[in-house]
PDB file of all heavy atoms in Angstrom:
ATOM      1  N   MET I   2      95.934 106.027 110.238  1.00 64.00           N
ATOM      2  CA  MET I   2      96.266 104.614 110.332  1.00 64.00           C
ATOM      3  C   MET I   2      97.723 104.437 110.740  1.00 64.00           C
ATOM      4  O   MET I   2      98.570 105.292 110.473  1.00 64.00           O
ATOM      5  CB  MET I   2      96.024 103.924 108.995  1.00 64.00           C
ATOM      6  CG  MET I   2      94.555 103.635 108.709  1.00 64.00           C
ATOM      7  SD  MET I   2      94.288 102.956 107.062  1.00 64.00           S
ATOM      8  CE  MET I   2      95.446 101.586 107.063  1.00 64.00           C
ATOM      9  N   PRO I   6      98.854 101.593 103.650  1.00 94.00           N
ATOM     10  CA  PRO I   6      98.021 100.587 102.985  1.00 94.00           C
ATOM     11  C   PRO I   6      98.843  99.642 102.119  1.00 94.00           C
ATOM     12  O   PRO I   6      99.743 100.059 101.394  1.00 94.00           O
ATOM     13  CB  PRO I   6      97.082 101.439 102.121  1.00 94.00           C
ATOM     14  CG  PRO I   6      97.016 102.757 102.798  1.00 94.00           C
ATOM     15  CD  PRO I   6      98.384 102.963 103.377  1.00 94.00           C
ATOM     16  N   LEU I   8      98.651  95.183 100.505  1.00 97.00           N
ATOM     17  CA  LEU I   8      97.835  93.984 100.371  1.00 97.00           C
ATOM     18  C   LEU I   8      98.278  92.884 101.323  1.00 97.00           C
ATOM     19  O   LEU I   8      97.944  91.710 101.133  1.00 97.00           O
ATOM     20  CB  LEU I   8      97.853  93.494  98.922  1.00 97.00           C
ATOM     21  CG  LEU I   8      97.180  94.452  97.933  1.00 97.00           C
ATOM     22  CD1 LEU I   8      97.111  93.837  96.539  1.00 97.00           C
ATOM     23  CD2 LEU I   8      95.785  94.852  98.392  1.00 97.00           C
ATOM     24  N   VAL I  29      90.201  97.687 107.624  1.00 98.00           N
ATOM     25  CA  VAL I  29      90.404  98.767 106.649  1.00 98.00           C
ATOM     26  C   VAL I  29      89.473  98.671 105.452  1.00 98.00           C
ATOM     27  O   VAL I  29      89.460  99.579 104.609  1.00 98.00           O
ATOM     28  CB  VAL I  29      91.866  98.807 106.166  1.00 98.00           C
ATOM     29  CG1 VAL I  29      92.804  99.129 107.315  1.00 98.00           C
ATOM     30  CG2 VAL I  29      92.271  97.488 105.495  1.00 98.00           C
ATOM     31  N   TRP I  30      88.692  97.596 105.346  1.00 98.00           N
ATOM     32  CA  TRP I  30      87.737  97.477 104.242  1.00 98.00           C
ATOM     33  C   TRP I  30      86.583  96.581 104.657  1.00 98.00           C
ATOM     34  O   TRP I  30      86.795  95.472 105.148  1.00 98.00           O
ATOM     35  CB  TRP I  30      88.400  96.882 102.992  1.00 98.00           C
ATOM     36  CG  TRP I  30      87.439  96.730 101.844  1.00 98.00           C
ATOM     37  CD1 TRP I  30      86.795  95.589 101.459  1.00 98.00           C
ATOM     38  CD2 TRP I  30      86.981  97.756 100.964  1.00 98.00           C
ATOM     39  NE1 TRP I  30      85.977  95.840 100.381  1.00 98.00           N
ATOM     40  CE2 TRP I  30      86.078  97.164 100.053  1.00 98.00           C
ATOM     41  CE3 TRP I  30      87.265  99.123 100.836  1.00 98.00           C
ATOM     42  CZ2 TRP I  30      85.448  97.899  99.054  1.00 98.00           C
ATOM     43  CZ3 TRP I  30      86.637  99.842  99.830  1.00 98.00           C
ATOM     44  CH2 TRP I  30      85.739  99.238  98.953  1.00 98.00           C
ATOM     45  N   PRO I  40      80.869 100.761 101.099  1.00 96.00           N
ATOM     46  CA  PRO I  40      82.105 100.497 101.855  1.00 96.00           C
ATOM     47  C   PRO I  40      82.203 101.384 103.094  1.00 96.00           C
ATOM     48  O   PRO I  40      82.794 102.461 103.064  1.00 96.00           O
ATOM     49  CB  PRO I  40      83.207 100.800 100.836  1.00 96.00           C
ATOM     50  CG  PRO I  40      82.603 101.780  99.892  1.00 96.00           C
ATOM     51  CD  PRO I  40      81.144 101.446  99.816  1.00 96.00           C
ATOM     52  N   PHE I  42      83.854 100.853 105.775  1.00 97.00           N
ATOM     53  CA  PHE I  42      85.271 100.974 106.123  1.00 97.00           C
ATOM     54  C   PHE I  42      86.040 100.939 104.805  1.00 97.00           C
ATOM     55  O   PHE I  42      86.031  99.930 104.097  1.00 97.00           O
ATOM     56  CB  PHE I  42      85.707  99.864 107.072  1.00 97.00           C
ATOM     57  CG  PHE I  42      85.039  99.954 108.421  1.00 97.00           C
ATOM     58  CD1 PHE I  42      84.011  99.097 108.754  1.00 97.00           C
ATOM     59  CD2 PHE I  42      85.418 100.937 109.328  1.00 97.00           C
ATOM     60  CE1 PHE I  42      83.372  99.207 109.973  1.00 97.00           C
ATOM     61  CE2 PHE I  42      84.779 101.047 110.556  1.00 97.00           C
ATOM     62  CZ  PHE I  42      83.752 100.190 110.881  1.00 97.00           C
ATOM     63  N   CYS I  43      86.671 102.045 104.471  1.00 97.00           N
ATOM     64  CA  CYS I  43      87.208 102.238 103.128  1.00 97.00           C
ATOM     65  C   CYS I  43      88.601 102.841 103.134  1.00 97.00           C
ATOM     66  O   CYS I  43      89.069 103.350 102.118  1.00 97.00           O
ATOM     67  CB  CYS I  43      86.270 103.136 102.317  1.00 97.00           C
ATOM     68  SG  CYS I  43      85.861 104.684 103.163  1.00 97.00           S
ATOM     69  N   ALA I  44      89.307 102.782 104.270  1.00 98.00           N
ATOM     70  CA  ALA I  44      90.640 103.367 104.358  1.00 98.00           C
ATOM     71  C   ALA I  44      91.593 102.760 103.332  1.00 98.00           C
ATOM     72  O   ALA I  44      92.539 103.417 102.899  1.00 98.00           O
ATOM     73  CB  ALA I  44      91.210 103.178 105.766  1.00 98.00           C
ATOM     74  N   LEU I  45      91.352 101.537 102.927  1.00 98.00           N
ATOM     75  CA  LEU I  45      92.226 100.867 101.971  1.00 98.00           C
ATOM     76  C   LEU I  45      92.324 101.638 100.662  1.00 98.00           C
ATOM     77  O   LEU I  45      93.349 101.581  99.984  1.00 98.00           O
ATOM     78  CB  LEU I  45      91.703  99.451 101.719  1.00 98.00           C
ATOM     79  CG  LEU I  45      92.535  98.553 100.816  1.00 98.00           C
ATOM     80  CD1 LEU I  45      93.892  98.257 101.437  1.00 98.00           C
ATOM     81  CD2 LEU I  45      91.792  97.246 100.520  1.00 98.00           C
ATOM     82  N   VAL I  46      91.271 102.360 100.301  1.00 98.00           N
ATOM     83  CA  VAL I  46      91.267 103.081  99.021  1.00 98.00           C
ATOM     84  C   VAL I  46      91.128 104.584  99.240  1.00 98.00           C
ATOM     85  O   VAL I  46      90.481 105.280  98.465  1.00 98.00           O
ATOM     86  CB  VAL I  46      90.147 102.555  98.084  1.00 98.00           C
ATOM     87  CG1 VAL I  46      90.459 101.146  97.623  1.00 98.00           C
ATOM     88  CG2 VAL I  46      88.780 102.620  98.750  1.00 98.00           C
ATOM     89  N   ASP I  47      91.772 105.086 100.274  1.00 97.00           N
ATOM     90  CA  ASP I  47      91.668 106.524 100.562  1.00 97.00           C
ATOM     91  C   ASP I  47      93.020 107.135 100.889  1.00 97.00           C
ATOM     92  O   ASP I  47      93.197 107.786 101.926  1.00 97.00           O
ATOM     93  CB  ASP I  47      90.680 106.775 101.702  1.00 97.00           C
ATOM     94  CG  ASP I  47      90.230 108.233 101.763  1.00 97.00           C
ATOM     95  OD1 ASP I  47      90.298 108.915 100.719  1.00 97.00           O
ATOM     96  OD2 ASP I  47      89.809 108.678 102.842  1.00 97.00           O
ATOM     97  N   GLY I  48      93.998 106.909 100.014  1.00 95.00           N
ATOM     98  CA  GLY I  48      95.282 107.585 100.130  1.00 95.00           C
ATOM     99  C   GLY I  48      96.299 106.844 100.973  1.00 95.00           C
ATOM    100  O   GLY I  48      96.072 105.728 101.452  1.00 95.00           O
ATOM    101  N   GLU I  49      97.449 107.512 101.169  1.00 93.00           N
ATOM    102  CA  GLU I  49      98.573 106.911 101.900  1.00 93.00           C
ATOM    103  C   GLU I  49      98.317 106.831 103.401  1.00 93.00           C
ATOM    104  O   GLU I  49      98.683 105.856 104.050  1.00 93.00           O
ATOM    105  CB  GLU I  49      99.837 107.748 101.642  1.00 93.00           C
ATOM    106  CG  GLU I  49     100.412 107.571 100.243  1.00 93.00           C
ATOM    107  CD  GLU I  49     101.415 106.432 100.201  1.00 93.00           C
ATOM    108  OE1 GLU I  49     101.548 105.701 101.193  1.00 93.00           O
ATOM    109  OE2 GLU I  49     102.068 106.270  99.158  1.00 93.00           O
ATOM    110  N   PRO I  51      95.116 107.502 105.550  1.00 93.00           N
ATOM    111  CA  PRO I  51      93.719 107.901 105.761  1.00 93.00           C
ATOM    112  C   PRO I  51      93.448 108.356 107.190  1.00 93.00           C
ATOM    113  O   PRO I  51      93.996 107.796 108.153  1.00 93.00           O
ATOM    114  CB  PRO I  51      92.947 106.619 105.442  1.00 93.00           C
ATOM    115  CG  PRO I  51      93.885 105.785 104.655  1.00 93.00           C
ATOM    116  CD  PRO I  51      95.252 106.112 105.132  1.00 93.00           C
ATOM    117  N   ASP I  53      90.309 108.411 108.368  1.00 95.00           N
ATOM    118  CA  ASP I  53      89.141 107.682 108.856  1.00 95.00           C
ATOM    119  C   ASP I  53      88.837 106.548 107.888  1.00 95.00           C
ATOM    120  O   ASP I  53      89.631 106.229 107.004  1.00 95.00           O
ATOM    121  CB  ASP I  53      87.944 108.611 109.055  1.00 95.00           C
ATOM    122  CG  ASP I  53      87.688 109.493 107.843  1.00 95.00           C
ATOM    123  OD1 ASP I  53      88.042 109.090 106.720  1.00 95.00           O
ATOM    124  OD2 ASP I  53      87.144 110.595 108.010  1.00 95.00           O
ATOM    125  N   GLY I  54      87.669 105.925 108.084  1.00 97.00           N
ATOM    126  CA  GLY I  54      87.328 104.776 107.264  1.00 97.00           C
ATOM    127  C   GLY I  54      87.939 103.488 107.773  1.00 97.00           C
ATOM    128  O   GLY I  54      88.119 102.545 106.998  1.00 97.00           O
ATOM    129  N   ARG I 132      82.925 105.417 107.307  1.00 96.00           N
ATOM    130  CA  ARG I 132      82.494 106.374 106.286  1.00 96.00           C
ATOM    131  C   ARG I 132      81.285 105.761 105.590  1.00 96.00           C
ATOM    132  O   ARG I 132      81.174 104.539 105.487  1.00 96.00           O
ATOM    133  CB  ARG I 132      83.597 106.613 105.252  1.00 96.00           C
ATOM    134  CG  ARG I 132      84.835 107.283 105.797  1.00 96.00           C
ATOM    135  CD  ARG I 132      84.785 108.791 105.671  1.00 96.00           C
ATOM    136  NE  ARG I 132      84.936 109.255 104.297  1.00 96.00           N
ATOM    137  CZ  ARG I 132      86.115 109.429 103.699  1.00 96.00           C
ATOM    138  NH1 ARG I 132      87.249 109.127 104.319  1.00 96.00           N
ATOM    139  NH2 ARG I 132      86.158 109.900 102.458  1.00 96.00           N
ATOM    140  N   ALA I 135      79.613 105.945  99.919  1.00 94.00           N
ATOM    141  CA  ALA I 135      80.802 105.895  99.059  1.00 94.00           C
ATOM    142  C   ALA I 135      81.848 106.919  99.477  1.00 94.00           C
ATOM    143  O   ALA I 135      82.507 107.539  98.639  1.00 94.00           O
ATOM    144  CB  ALA I 135      80.415 106.090  97.599  1.00 94.00           C
ATOM    145  N   GLY I 136      82.009 107.073 100.780  1.00 95.00           N
ATOM    146  CA  GLY I 136      83.040 107.954 101.305  1.00 95.00           C
ATOM    147  C   GLY I 136      82.610 109.379 101.521  1.00 95.00           C
ATOM    148  O   GLY I 136      83.366 110.188 102.079  1.00 95.00           O
ATOM    149  N   THR I 250      87.035  93.610  96.692  1.00 98.00           N
ATOM    150  CA  THR I 250      87.358  95.033  96.703  1.00 98.00           C
ATOM    151  C   THR I 250      86.989  95.694  95.386  1.00 98.00           C
ATOM    152  O   THR I 250      86.691  95.032  94.385  1.00 98.00           O
ATOM    153  CB  THR I 250      88.863  95.246  96.939  1.00 98.00           C
ATOM    154  OG1 THR I 250      89.592  94.529  95.928  1.00 98.00           O
ATOM    155  CG2 THR I 250      89.279  94.767  98.311  1.00 98.00           C
ATOM    156  N   THR I 251      87.054  97.008  95.396  1.00 98.00           N
ATOM    157  CA  THR I 251      86.960  97.794  94.182  1.00 98.00           C
ATOM    158  C   THR I 251      88.178  98.692  94.057  1.00 98.00           C
ATOM    159  O   THR I 251      88.746  99.141  95.067  1.00 98.00           O
ATOM    160  CB  THR I 251      85.694  98.671  94.155  1.00 98.00           C
ATOM    161  OG1 THR I 251      85.688  99.437  92.937  1.00 98.00           O
ATOM    162  CG2 THR I 251      85.638  99.642  95.315  1.00 98.00           C
ATOM    163  N   SER I 252      88.594  98.896  92.804  1.00 97.00           N
ATOM    164  CA  SER I 252      89.541  99.967  92.452  1.00 97.00           C
ATOM    165  C   SER I 252      90.939  99.805  93.012  1.00 97.00           C
ATOM    166  O   SER I 252      91.680 100.789  93.129  1.00 97.00           O
ATOM    167  CB  SER I 252      88.967 101.322  92.887  1.00 97.00           C
ATOM    168  OG  SER I 252      87.696 101.523  92.326  1.00 97.00           O
ATOM    169  N   MET I 253      91.325  98.585  93.336  1.00 97.00           N
ATOM    170  CA  MET I 253      92.722  98.346  93.651  1.00 97.00           C
ATOM    171  C   MET I 253      93.479  98.315  92.323  1.00 97.00           C
ATOM    172  O   MET I 253      93.230  97.443  91.492  1.00 97.00           O
ATOM    173  CB  MET I 253      92.889  97.014  94.381  1.00 97.00           C
ATOM    174  CG  MET I 253      92.069  96.911  95.655  1.00 97.00           C
ATOM    175  SD  MET I 253      92.533  98.145  96.880  1.00 97.00           S
ATOM    176  CE  MET I 253      94.146  97.540  97.323  1.00 97.00           C
ATOM    177  N   PRO I 254      94.380  99.259  92.067  1.00 96.00           N
ATOM    178  CA  PRO I 254      94.989  99.364  90.733  1.00 96.00           C
ATOM    179  C   PRO I 254      95.852  98.163  90.397  1.00 96.00           C
ATOM    180  O   PRO I 254      96.474  97.553  91.272  1.00 96.00           O
ATOM    181  CB  PRO I 254      95.825 100.647  90.828  1.00 96.00           C
ATOM    182  CG  PRO I 254      96.109 100.808  92.287  1.00 96.00           C
ATOM    183  CD  PRO I 254      94.907 100.266  93.002  1.00 96.00           C
ATOM    184  N   ASN I 262      91.568 100.520  87.251  1.00 93.00           N
ATOM    185  CA  ASN I 262      91.004 100.465  88.602  1.00 93.00           C
ATOM    186  C   ASN I 262      89.533 100.076  88.472  1.00 93.00           C
ATOM    187  O   ASN I 262      88.686 100.917  88.180  1.00 93.00           O
ATOM    188  CB  ASN I 262      91.081 101.843  89.287  1.00 93.00           C
ATOM    189  CG  ASN I 262      92.484 102.359  89.450  1.00 93.00           C
ATOM    190  OD1 ASN I 262      93.390 101.930  88.747  1.00 93.00           O
ATOM    191  ND2 ASN I 262      92.689 103.273  90.366  1.00 93.00           N
ATOM    192  N   TRP I 263      89.207  98.823  88.739  1.00 96.00           N
ATOM    193  CA  TRP I 263      87.861  98.338  88.457  1.00 96.00           C
ATOM    194  C   TRP I 263      87.185  97.819  89.717  1.00 96.00           C
ATOM    195  O   TRP I 263      87.840  97.431  90.690  1.00 96.00           O
ATOM    196  CB  TRP I 263      87.902  97.240  87.396  1.00 96.00           C
ATOM    197  CG  TRP I 263      88.786  97.547  86.230  1.00 96.00           C
ATOM    198  CD1 TRP I 263      89.910  96.884  85.843  1.00 96.00           C
ATOM    199  CD2 TRP I 263      88.639  98.636  85.301  1.00 96.00           C
ATOM    200  NE1 TRP I 263      90.461  97.471  84.735  1.00 96.00           N
ATOM    201  CE2 TRP I 263      89.714  98.551  84.382  1.00 96.00           C
ATOM    202  CE3 TRP I 263      87.708  99.670  85.158  1.00 96.00           C
ATOM    203  CZ2 TRP I 263      89.860  99.457  83.339  1.00 96.00           C
ATOM    204  CZ3 TRP I 263      87.862 100.572  84.111  1.00 96.00           C
ATOM    205  CH2 TRP I 263      88.926 100.458  83.216  1.00 96.00           C
ATOM    206  N   THR I 325      83.765 107.922  92.471  1.00 96.00           N
ATOM    207  CA  THR I 325      83.442 108.737  93.628  1.00 96.00           C
ATOM    208  C   THR I 325      84.584 109.718  93.898  1.00 96.00           C
ATOM    209  O   THR I 325      85.743 109.308  93.980  1.00 96.00           O
ATOM    210  CB  THR I 325      83.172 107.885  94.886  1.00 96.00           C
ATOM    211  OG1 THR I 325      83.009 108.748  96.017  1.00 96.00           O
ATOM    212  CG2 THR I 325      84.304 106.906  95.163  1.00 96.00           C
ATOM    213  N   HIS I 327      85.139 111.241  96.598  1.00 97.00           N
ATOM    214  CA  HIS I 327      85.363 111.351  98.039  1.00 97.00           C
ATOM    215  C   HIS I 327      86.443 110.406  98.563  1.00 97.00           C
ATOM    216  O   HIS I 327      86.776 110.449  99.750  1.00 97.00           O
ATOM    217  CB  HIS I 327      84.051 111.098  98.784  1.00 97.00           C
ATOM    218  CG  HIS I 327      82.923 111.947  98.308  1.00 97.00           C
ATOM    219  ND1 HIS I 327      82.877 113.309  98.519  1.00 97.00           N
ATOM    220  CD2 HIS I 327      81.812 111.630  97.580  1.00 97.00           C
ATOM    221  CE1 HIS I 327      81.777 113.798  97.974  1.00 97.00           C
ATOM    222  NE2 HIS I 327      81.122 112.798  97.411  1.00 97.00           N
ATOM    223  N   LEU I 328      86.965 109.533  97.698  1.00 97.00           N
ATOM    224  CA  LEU I 328      88.013 108.604  98.098  1.00 97.00           C
ATOM    225  C   LEU I 328      89.201 108.773  97.158  1.00 97.00           C
ATOM    226  O   LEU I 328      89.043 108.820  95.938  1.00 97.00           O
ATOM    227  CB  LEU I 328      87.498 107.160  98.045  1.00 97.00           C
ATOM    228  CG  LEU I 328      86.347 106.832  99.012  1.00 97.00           C
ATOM    229  CD1 LEU I 328      85.759 105.461  98.714  1.00 97.00           C
ATOM    230  CD2 LEU I 328      86.810 106.924 100.456  1.00 97.00           C
ATOM    231  N   ALA I 329      90.396 108.858  97.741  1.00 96.00           N
ATOM    232  CA  ALA I 329      91.600 109.197  96.968  1.00 96.00           C
ATOM    233  C   ALA I 329      92.176 108.030  96.193  1.00 96.00           C
ATOM    234  O   ALA I 329      92.989 108.228  95.290  1.00 96.00           O
ATOM    235  CB  ALA I 329      92.676 109.759  97.907  1.00 96.00           C
ATOM    236  N   GLY I 330      91.776 106.803  96.543  1.00 96.00           N
ATOM    237  CA  GLY I 330      92.324 105.633  95.872  1.00 96.00           C
ATOM    238  C   GLY I 330      93.415 104.970  96.695  1.00 96.00           C
ATOM    239  O   GLY I 330      93.965 105.541  97.649  1.00 96.00           O
ATOM    240  N   TYR I 331      93.727 103.730  96.335  1.00 97.00           N
ATOM    241  CA  TYR I 331      94.774 102.972  97.021  1.00 97.00           C
ATOM    242  C   TYR I 331      96.114 103.697  96.856  1.00 97.00           C
ATOM    243  O   TYR I 331      96.587 103.897  95.735  1.00 97.00           O
ATOM    244  CB  TYR I 331      94.839 101.570  96.411  1.00 97.00           C
ATOM    245  CG  TYR I 331      95.905 100.661  96.967  1.00 97.00           C
ATOM    246  CD1 TYR I 331      95.797 100.124  98.238  1.00 97.00           C
ATOM    247  CD2 TYR I 331      97.009 100.302  96.195  1.00 97.00           C
ATOM    248  CE1 TYR I 331      96.764  99.258  98.736  1.00 97.00           C
ATOM    249  CE2 TYR I 331      97.974  99.435  96.678  1.00 97.00           C
ATOM    250  CZ  TYR I 331      97.852  98.921  97.958  1.00 97.00           C
ATOM    251  OH  TYR I 331      98.814  98.069  98.452  1.00 97.00           O
ATOM    252  N   ARG I 332      96.689 104.111  97.986  1.00 96.00           N
ATOM    253  CA  ARG I 332      97.932 104.896  98.000  1.00 96.00           C
ATOM    254  C   ARG I 332      97.832 106.158  97.136  1.00 96.00           C
ATOM    255  O   ARG I 332      98.841 106.682  96.663  1.00 96.00           O
ATOM    256  CB  ARG I 332      99.123 104.047  97.562  1.00 96.00           C
ATOM    257  CG  ARG I 332      99.398 102.849  98.459  1.00 96.00           C
ATOM    258  CD  ARG I 332     100.639 102.104  98.011  1.00 96.00           C
ATOM    259  NE  ARG I 332     100.823 100.882  98.787  1.00 96.00           N
ATOM    260  CZ  ARG I 332     101.742  99.960  98.519  1.00 96.00           C
ATOM    261  NH1 ARG I 332     102.571 100.136  97.487  1.00 96.00           N
ATOM    262  NH2 ARG I 332     101.852  98.883  99.243  1.00 96.00           N
ATOM    263  N   GLY I 333      96.615 106.615  96.918  1.00 95.00           N
ATOM    264  CA  GLY I 333      96.396 107.811  96.122  1.00 95.00           C
ATOM    265  C   GLY I 333      96.218 107.565  94.646  1.00 95.00           C
ATOM    266  O   GLY I 333      96.035 108.515  93.878  1.00 95.00           O
ATOM    267  N   TYR I 334      96.238 106.293  94.225  1.00 95.00           N
ATOM    268  CA  TYR I 334      96.092 105.966  92.813  1.00 95.00           C
ATOM    269  C   TYR I 334      94.604 105.783  92.493  1.00 95.00           C
ATOM    270  O   TYR I 334      94.086 104.680  92.518  1.00 95.00           O
ATOM    271  CB  TYR I 334      96.866 104.702  92.453  1.00 95.00           C
ATOM    272  CG  TYR I 334      98.353 104.790  92.700  1.00 95.00           C
ATOM    273  CD1 TYR I 334      99.002 103.867  93.512  1.00 95.00           C
ATOM    274  CD2 TYR I 334      99.123 105.795  92.117  1.00 95.00           C
ATOM    275  CE1 TYR I 334     100.372 103.938  93.744  1.00 95.00           C
ATOM    276  CE2 TYR I 334     100.493 105.875  92.344  1.00 95.00           C
ATOM    277  CZ  TYR I 334     101.109 104.943  93.160  1.00 95.00           C
ATOM    278  OH  TYR I 334     102.459 105.024  93.379  1.00 95.00           O
ATOM    279  N   GLY I 335      93.932 106.891  92.181  1.00 92.00           N
ATOM    280  CA  GLY I 335      92.530 106.834  91.822  1.00 92.00           C
ATOM    281  C   GLY I 335      92.356 106.522  90.346  1.00 92.00           C
ATOM    282  O   GLY I 335      93.345 106.297  89.632  1.00 92.00           O
ATOM    283  N   PRO I 336      91.121 106.518  89.865  1.00 95.00           N
ATOM    284  CA  PRO I 336      89.896 106.809  90.610  1.00 95.00           C
ATOM    285  C   PRO I 336      89.365 105.583  91.341  1.00 95.00           C
ATOM    286  O   PRO I 336      89.798 104.463  91.084  1.00 95.00           O
ATOM    287  CB  PRO I 336      88.931 107.218  89.498  1.00 95.00           C
ATOM    288  CG  PRO I 336      89.352 106.369  88.331  1.00 95.00           C
ATOM    289  CD  PRO I 336      90.843 106.288  88.424  1.00 95.00           C
ATOM    290  N   VAL I 337      88.427 105.826  92.246  1.00 97.00           N
ATOM    291  CA  VAL I 337      87.700 104.744  92.895  1.00 97.00           C
ATOM    292  C   VAL I 337      86.349 104.623  92.197  1.00 97.00           C
ATOM    293  O   VAL I 337      85.585 105.585  92.122  1.00 97.00           O
ATOM    294  CB  VAL I 337      87.513 105.023  94.393  1.00 97.00           C
ATOM    295  CG1 VAL I 337      86.599 103.971  95.027  1.00 97.00           C
ATOM    296  CG2 VAL I 337      88.867 105.038  95.095  1.00 97.00           C
ATOM    297  N   ARG I 338      86.089 103.440  91.669  1.00 97.00           N
ATOM    298  CA  ARG I 338      84.888 103.211  90.862  1.00 97.00           C
ATOM    299  C   ARG I 338      83.861 102.391  91.641  1.00 97.00           C
ATOM    300  O   ARG I 338      84.213 101.487  92.398  1.00 97.00           O
ATOM    301  CB  ARG I 338      85.232 102.486  89.562  1.00 97.00           C
ATOM    302  CG  ARG I 338      86.288 103.190  88.716  1.00 97.00           C
ATOM    303  CD  ARG I 338      86.578 102.386  87.454  1.00 97.00           C
ATOM    304  NE  ARG I 338      87.851 102.760  86.849  1.00 97.00           N
ATOM    305  CZ  ARG I 338      88.002 103.641  85.877  1.00 97.00           C
ATOM    306  NH1 ARG I 338      86.944 104.261  85.388  1.00 97.00           N
ATOM    307  NH2 ARG I 338      89.196 103.896  85.377  1.00 97.00           N
ATOM    308  N   ILE I 339      82.622 102.731  91.423  1.00 97.00           N
ATOM    309  CA  ILE I 339      81.496 101.959  91.944  1.00 97.00           C
ATOM    310  C   ILE I 339      80.701 101.480  90.740  1.00 97.00           C
ATOM    311  O   ILE I 339      80.269 102.280  89.910  1.00 97.00           O
ATOM    312  CB  ILE I 339      80.601 102.814  92.862  1.00 97.00           C
ATOM    313  CG1 ILE I 339      81.423 103.474  93.982  1.00 97.00           C
ATOM    314  CG2 ILE I 339      79.471 101.981  93.430  1.00 97.00           C
ATOM    315  CD1 ILE I 339      82.040 102.510  94.959  1.00 97.00           C
ATOM    316  N   ASN I 574      92.847  93.893  92.508  1.00 98.00           N
ATOM    317  CA  ASN I 574      91.807  93.612  93.499  1.00 98.00           C
ATOM    318  C   ASN I 574      92.122  92.349  94.295  1.00 98.00           C
ATOM    319  O   ASN I 574      92.840  91.456  93.839  1.00 98.00           O
ATOM    320  CB  ASN I 574      90.450  93.508  92.802  1.00 98.00           C
ATOM    321  CG  ASN I 574      89.849  94.882  92.548  1.00 98.00           C
ATOM    322  OD1 ASN I 574      89.663  95.663  93.476  1.00 98.00           O
ATOM    323  ND2 ASN I 574      89.561  95.191  91.296  1.00 98.00           N
TER     324      ASN I 574
END
Side-chain angles (χ1 to χ4, degrees):
M2 283 175 52
L8 294 186
V29 296
W30 179 261
F42 294 104
C43 52
L45 184 64
V46 291
D47 197 24
E49 287 270 8
D53 49 27
R132 295 268 288 276
T250 56
T251 179
S252 305
M253 303 298 291
N262 299 21
W263 315 116
T325 174
H327 307 291
L328 297 170
Y331 178 72
R332 299 183 186 172
Y334 300 124
V337 173
R338 304 179 199 265
I339 306 295
N574 278 303

